[in-house]
Amino acid sequence: MIHTAYGDAGRLFVIVAFVSALVATFAYFKSVTSSTKLNDVLPWKRFARTAFFVHAAAVAGVVFCLYWIIGNHYFEYHYAWDNSSLSLPTEYVISSFWQDQEGSFLLWIFWNVVLGLILIVTNRSWEGPVMAIFALVQAFLASMILGVVIPGLDLKIGSTPFLLLREALPDIPVWTTNPDFIPKDGNGLNPLLQNYWMVIHPPTLFLGFATTLIPFSFAMAGLWTKKVKEWIRPALPWALLSAMILGVGILMGAYWAYETLNFGGYWNWDPVENTSFVPWLVLVGTIHVMIIGRKNATALKTSFILAIATFVMILYSTFMTRSGVLGNASVHSFTDLGLSGQLLIYLMTFVVLSVGLLIYRWKLLPSDEKEVSTYSPEFWIFIGATLLCLSGFQILATTSIPVYNAIAEGFGKILNLALPTDPIEHYNKFQIWFFALITILTGIGQYFWWKRTGEGKLNTLYPPLLISLILSAIFITLGEVRTISYIALLTAAVFSIVANGTILLNIIGGNYKLSGGAVTHIGVALMLIGILFSSGYTRVVSLNNSGLMISRSEEFTANDNKENKENVTLWLNKPSQMGKYMLTWRDVRIEPRYVPEYIPKGWVEIIENDFHAVALRDIVVNDKTYYKTGDTLEIYPENFYYEIEYREPSGKIFTLFPRAQINPRMGLISSPDIQRKYNKDLYTYVSMVTNPLDEGKWSPTEEFTVAMKDTFFVNDYVAILDNVVRTDQVEGVQLGENDAAVKAIIRVLDTDQEYVIDPSFVIRNRTVGRKAQVSNELGLRIQFNEINPQTGEFTFAVNTKQRDFIVMKALEKPLINVLWLGTFVLVIGFLMATIRRFRDFFKNQKREVAAVEIPEPKKRTPQRV
């Protein structure tokens, strides 16, 4: 049965959302431009508010319909089939909602609705102009998921998530024989996105994108209504909240990359990463100039420019990641759905409107009567904001290289500009110096801001500077920091912590609510120290000292055989020395649902192309039996965990379980496992594995007839038949009273280890059965074929194959916990500053309301004539 009702309802809700956003835009516009008489303004505002409420309800309807289709596995819809599958757990079914472009646009629209409703309730005096901008943005975003083709013009507007599979893929031959065909399962979620961080990272990031619209809308409203200074007070707390949420979203993405991707870090200067980082830098600069904008005319003008630039950068990043222009430059970018022209119109509309309005109102903006003194806090804050923007500009200028090429192609030219071959080295070359200067300014600026220093009082900076130099010298010596740029960054970070810490101690003694800025700056400095040591001084532990080349593939031979030198090969259950650790690859494990631990793959038989397995033995974990032999259990079918035992020189043992997925579309998808200590992380992932679902190719059978204690040679090993003994138990065989079974005890000698293989010979119901024994460690399969009572000899059939192995890489990342600690402190600082500014705004709003309240007229006493 094809559930067309939900798709039809979803499309209808999208149309209603688009139309109601346009109506709300017009009505809010009229509420601002109409006569200032109360009876003219209120009807338009009420009508606009109603239209926006209808828009909100329609967006909720769209979200519900799409979730219903995905959650109920209606694979007749292309979006559900392409992004979800029956094997996905609930949290990943939810995250498949925003895997594709349409869902992520819808997530953005949803957050804008939530924020718009909050603004209507909390900012009535600014509602008209602010919500006009909001509603216009919503109209553009809603158009992205319309999926309407205008007849005659062959013009497509948007891409709908409610396409049926037969509409999205009309050329599949199955439709001719079965028009109502519904796939039994979907493609599933991208393996890289099957991580709990990806359940919360995209919603957080898109909430960050959505919140940047608020300071932009207030800035536009201020220019529109000529309230060129008043807009800062209501906009500033939202700008702080936006910086906090967007920053947290970016850092969530970094932590996801650290836990999921195997490039050995958390930041790779990928173009898509950069397109979210640049708006955050500009936004932080915006906040700093907004703080001084009501007192300084230059800062006020800059506040308008940067508030506009932040939102425009969000739109530009959306264009870059969704137009397909970064298709060959980033693994994170979306493919082009034919929306690139529409995205460009969206971007250019708001560039023209905002820049045009700013130019039109520029003469209304005040000018400074005198130049800002270098001893004033405004000067240092302005310099810091300038450096933040320059840092963002450098990143953006390089990241936009594919855009330059695309523009040139549009004019018939070929530029052939290429992104840096080593992006980390390229960006770090500039960004280390930018952030060294910015970090120094966070300390100096705080001293000037709190009147601790100024003209004639520069000596107040000497104590924190001296303490910082002493501490930096100690850290440089102990950490063996030799690179000049690293020394500069470390010294700047230490100075920022000391200077802001000193200010913080003094503020806490008075009013701790004012300390948000100092706490935030300390968080930034801690993050930079963590980034410096964890990235700049990462140590490869898995050095290949065997002298043998692991692989001749380009991935391993590039950069002077880098990966051949920095990976080690492990054979199953064979200990191998790696630096100070003794490593042993013990097993391949799988992840069953509803069982608290990974279990050995050999405990179950995995059903091919399914997400179930049959238990070959009782599944017992922590003395609790979860499944009995023969039971069917649900598993995560793509995930295999490689049990790697680390033995330290002290004898302490710990085990890591790096994950690998053998994905038909993407090949080996490898995710690390991490042992965390207070001073470093040990980061381990597999670079190459034998397919755990592939039994391998066995050699032709070779037979050996031997007597007791005889030696025979199988492959490269020496084998000895030690004994043949009676047994009452044979795995997988139920023996009766009249049945008999024996097993051979065969010792196999490797170069430095001994193994025992015990194949069985069974007589059951007067029928001979042979139970082969497989040793994956040796790549041997031995079957007990015959017993000759006359000669006392035994015959064995032997097959060999490639021994199971893995190739793994291990890195030590020092002081990475300082980065995560700094992140926590940064968020706390932003939260403190945001709460304080919201409180100030609401207090001021109450005063304004009280001031404009009209007192009731006094009753006049009638006079006698």
Side-chain angles (χ1 to χ4, degrees):
M1 175 183 174
I2 297 178
H3 305 84
T4 55
Y6 299 103
D8 293 341
R11 293 185 195 216
L12 177 62
F13 281 131
V14 171
I15 294 171
V16 172
F18 174 66
V19 173
S20 58
L22 288 176
V23 172
T25 303
F26 176 76
Y28 273 123
F29 177 81
K30 291 294 291 183
S31 75
V32 178
T33 57
S34 297
S35 169
T36 55
K37 292 181 181 179
L38 197 63
N39 59 350
D40 288 339
V41 175
L42 284 181
W44 279 114
K45 188 175 286 188
R46 289 196 193 101
F47 180 59
R49 199 176 293 160
T50 301
F52 195 83
F53 290 160
V54 170
H55 172 74
V59 169
V62 179
V63 171
F64 172 80
C65 290
L66 187 56
Y67 261 130
W68 192 263
I69 288 169
I70 295 171
N72 287 283
H73 305 298
Y74 293 159
F75 295 126
E76 61 265 39
Y77 286 93
H78 180 264
Y79 200 93
W81 171 80
D82 197 35
N83 299 296
S84 183
S85 69
L86 296 172
S87 64
L88 288 177
T90 302
E91 62 269 26
Y92 296 151
V93 171
I94 292 173
S95 62
S96 65
F97 178 94
W98 46 74
Q99 177 174 244
D100 267 0
Q101 291 212 47
E102 299 93 340
S104 58
F105 272 124
L106 185 52
L107 181 62
W108 193 351
I109 293 167
F110 171 78
W111 282 130
N112 274 352
V113 163
V114 172
L115 295 171
L117 294 174
I118 293 172
L119 286 173
I120 288 173
V121 173
T122 59
N123 287 272
R124 290 293 175 92
S125 60
W126 287 89
E127 181 185 349
V130 167
M131 291 307 299
I133 304 296
F134 247 82
L136 181 60
V137 170
Q138 285 296 84
F140 271 99
L141 286 174
S143 73
M144 296 297 171
I145 57 172
L146 266 177
V148 173
V149 178
I150 298 178
L153 297 178
D154 196 25
L155 178 64
K156 178 185 176 184
I157 302 176
S159 176
T160 178
F162 298 108
L163 279 178
L164 291 169
L165 192 59
R166 65 189 179 201
E167 294 173 321
L169 303 171
D171 298 328
I172 298 177
V174 71
W175 307 125
T176 58
T177 57
N178 184 7
D180 294 328
F181 169 74
I182 300 175
K184 292 182 179 180
D185 203 354
N187 281 339
L189 189 66
N190 185 323
L192 293 174
L193 303 182
Q194 293 181 33
N195 179 280
Y196 58 93
W197 283 108
M198 293 310 290
V199 179
I200 56 177
H201 160 61
T204 306
L205 191 66
F206 277 98
L207 177 57
F209 287 172
T211 52
T212 62
L213 174 58
I214 300 178
F216 170 78
S217 298
F218 274 108
M220 291 296 95
L223 291 172
W224 186 0
T225 60
K226 301 181 182 180
K227 297 178 180 179
V228 293
K229 288 186 179 180
E230 292 85 346
W231 70 277
I232 288 181
R233 188 182 292 277
L236 183 55
W238 284 106
L240 284 161
L241 181 66
S242 180
M244 182 184 74
I245 294 173
L246 184 56
V248 168
I250 292 169
L251 288 164
M252 280 180 177
Y255 200 81
W256 162 75
Y258 184 64
E259 281 199 338
T260 305
L261 305 181
N262 63 3
F263 64 80
Y266 38 80
W267 195 259
N268 207 31
W269 292 109
D270 182 271
V272 171
E273 294 172 350
N274 296 347
T275 57
S276 59
F277 184 51
V278 171
W280 185 81
L281 289 174
V282 178
L283 178 58
V284 174
T286 308
I287 290 167
H288 284 82
V289 292
M290 285 173 69
I291 290 171
I292 58 175
R294 284 183 295 167
K295 297 180 180 179
N296 182 273
T298 303
L300 176 64
K301 294 174 180 176
T302 308
S303 297
F304 279 111
I305 294 170
L306 296 188
I308 293 170
T310 300
F311 184 66
V312 168
M313 286 295 100
I314 292 292
L315 299 185
Y316 181 62
S317 70
T318 303
F319 169 75
M320 290 184 70
T321 56
R322 296 167 188 277
S323 64
V325 71
L326 294 179
N328 297 323
S330 172
V331 296
H332 303 301
S333 64
F334 290 93
T335 55
D336 185 12
L337 294 180
L339 303 180
S340 53
Q342 200 171 332
L343 286 166
L344 191 59
I345 293 171
Y346 182 18
L347 169 63
M348 295 310 299
T349 297
F350 282 93
V351 169
V352 171
L353 285 177
S354 57
V355 174
L357 183 58
L358 180 61
I359 293 171
Y360 181 69
R361 296 295 197 203
W362 190 260
K363 291 182 180 179
L364 290 178
L365 302 182
S367 299
D368 291 317
E369 296 180 1
K370 59 180 180 179
E371 291 186 7
V372 176
S373 169
T374 55
Y375 297 101
S376 67
E378 290 82 6
F379 174 82
W380 294 100
I381 289 175
F382 192 83
I383 293 297
T386 302
L387 283 172
L388 282 166
C389 294
L390 287 174
S391 168
F393 177 77
Q394 187 275 321
I395 297 169
L396 189 67
T398 304
T399 304
S400 299
I401 285 176
V403 178
Y404 309 151
N405 290 332
I407 292 172
E409 283 183 27
F411 288 96
K413 305 289 183 181
I414 298 178
L415 289 181
N416 282 332
L417 296 176
L419 288 166
T421 55
D422 188 347
I424 295 177
E425 180 183 357
H426 170 79
Y427 288 107
N428 286 354
K429 181 170 57 179
F430 298 97
Q431 294 302 313
I432 284 177
W433 292 108
F434 274 125
F435 274 91
L437 293 172
I438 290 167
T439 311
I440 289 172
L441 288 174
T442 63
I444 294 175
Q446 283 286 291
Y447 260 74
F448 277 95
W449 182 259
W450 292 102
K451 311 294 185 185
R452 287 185 150 270
T453 191
E455 189 172 4
K457 296 194 296 182
L458 292 177
N459 58 331
T460 56
L461 281 170
Y462 295 163
L465 180 59
L466 180 60
I467 294 170
S468 302
L469 291 174
I470 293 171
L471 290 175
S472 298
I474 294 171
F475 295 149
I476 289 166
T477 303
L478 294 178
E480 298 182 357
V481 182
R482 300 289 181 266
T483 308
I484 296 297
S485 57
Y486 292 177
I487 291 172
L489 184 61
L490 177 60
T491 305
V494 172
F495 172 73
S496 177
I497 293 172
V498 172
N500 282 283
T502 304
I503 296 294
L504 180 61
L505 290 174
N506 285 276
I507 296 173
I508 290 176
N511 185 355
Y512 74 92
K513 296 176 183 178
L514 303 175
S515 60
V519 173
T520 303
H521 294 156
I522 291 172
V524 171
L526 288 171
M527 288 179 65
L528 290 174
I529 292 173
I531 291 169
L532 169 62
F533 281 99
S534 62
S535 298
Y537 291 92
T538 292
R539 187 173 73 89
V540 178
V541 181
S542 55
L543 295 175
N544 179 10
N545 296 317
S546 67
L548 301 175
M549 184 176 288
I550 295 172
S551 172
R552 296 187 182 277
S553 67
E554 184 180 352
E555 180 185 353
F556 275 74
T557 56
N559 299 320
D560 191 27
N561 276 308
K562 185 176 186 294
E563 295 305 313
N564 274 311
K565 294 174 182 177
E566 296 182 354
N567 281 266
V568 295
T569 303
L570 298 181
W571 307 95
L572 187 62
N573 284 322
K574 186 172 182 179
S576 179
Q577 192 72 37
M578 185 188 75
K580 67 177 183 179
Y581 302 104
M582 180 64 73
L583 262 61
T584 309
W585 168 36
R586 290 297 184 191
D587 206 350
V588 180
R589 292 182 173 249
I590 62 167
E591 186 178 7
R593 295 189 183 184
Y594 319 118
V595 177
E597 293 181 5
Y598 309 134
I599 63 171
K601 184 178 75 72
W603 287 12
V604 301
E605 182 179 346
I606 297 174
I607 302 173
E608 191 175 356
N609 298 323
D610 201 351
F611 51 96
H612 291 85
V614 177
L616 300 178
R617 49 163 289 173
D618 291 352
I619 308 297
V620 181
V621 176
N622 297 328
D623 298 325
K624 180 179 178 180
T625 301
Y626 288 86
Y627 297 95
K628 293 284 190 179
T629 304
D631 285 352
T632 300
L633 58 150
E634 293 183 58
I635 63 170
Y636 297 103
E638 293 182 315
N639 298 337
F640 295 96
Y641 297 85
Y642 290 80
E643 181 184 357
I644 301 175
E645 178 187 281
Y646 279 80
R647 182 183 294 271
E648 297 179 338
S650 63
K652 180 182 177 182
I653 294 175
F654 62 91
T655 303
L656 296 180
F657 294 92
R659 183 183 71 172
Q661 299 179 4
I662 310 297
N663 188 276
R665 292 176 295 168
M666 304 174 67
L668 174 65
I669 306 298
S670 179
S671 297
D673 196 10
I674 303 165
Q675 194 226 15
R676 294 175 171 85
K677 294 184 178 181
Y678 73 94
N679 62 337
K680 64 184 175 185
D681 279 0
L682 180 63
Y683 183 99
T684 302
Y685 65 90
V686 292
S687 309
M688 188 185 301
V689 299
T690 51
N691 190 336
L693 292 178
D694 186 3
E695 289 189 4
K697 185 177 181 181
W698 291 100
S699 68
T701 301
E702 186 177 1
E703 287 197 346
F704 296 88
T705 301
V706 294
M708 202 73 70
K709 302 298 181 181
D710 274 0
T711 297
F712 57 104
F713 296 92
V714 289
N715 206 4
D716 295 328
Y717 311 113
V718 176
I720 303 169
L721 176 60
D722 265 357
N723 204 352
V724 177
V725 297
R726 187 180 181 88
T727 182
D728 295 328
Q729 292 183 341
V730 177
E731 186 178 355
V733 179
Q734 188 71 35
L735 295 176
E737 291 184 1
N738 298 320
D739 299 335
V742 294
K743 66 178 178 181
I745 309 299
I746 301 172
R747 279 189 299 131
V748 182
L749 308 180
D750 198 1
T751 52
D752 55 358
Q753 202 169 347
E754 188 176 287
Y755 299 86
V756 174
I757 301 178
D758 53 353
S760 301
F761 186 90
V762 181
I763 299 176
R764 185 171 178 268
N765 297 328
R766 298 184 179 181
T767 303
V768 174
R770 300 169 178 87
K771 180 68 175 178
Q773 189 75 10
V774 176
S775 170
N776 290 318
E777 294 96 327
L778 300 171
L780 284 180
R781 179 173 65 191
I782 300 180
Q783 181 173 288
F784 196 161
N785 270 4
E786 293 181 12
I787 302 174
N788 190 331
Q790 286 78 24
T791 62
E793 292 180 323
F794 308 90
T795 301
F796 300 96
V798 179
N799 304 92
T800 63
K801 67 171 183 176
Q802 168 68 56
R803 295 166 61 186
D804 284 350
F805 71 95
I806 62 171
V807 176
M808 57 152 281
K809 189 169 184 175
L811 309 166
E812 281 187 350
K813 306 190 80 63
L815 297 185
I816 193 167
N817 285 332
V818 177
L819 166 59
W820 310 130
L821 173 63
T823 300
F824 178 75
V825 174
L826 175 76
V827 173
I828 293 297
F830 265 122
L831 188 60
M832 292 172 67
T834 302
I835 292 172
R836 178 202 161 200
R837 294 292 178 176
F838 268 117
R839 283 176 175 168
D840 289 348
F841 166 69
F842 287 124
K843 285 180 182 178
N844 185 71
Q845 191 177 54
K846 286 181 180 179
R847 287 195 296 267
E848 289 177 352
V849 170
V852 298
E853 284 182 348
I854 303 173
E856 292 184 10
K858 295 180 180 179
K859 293 183 179 179
R860 297 181 63 183
T861 305
Q863 297 179 356
R864 292 181 180 179
V865 178

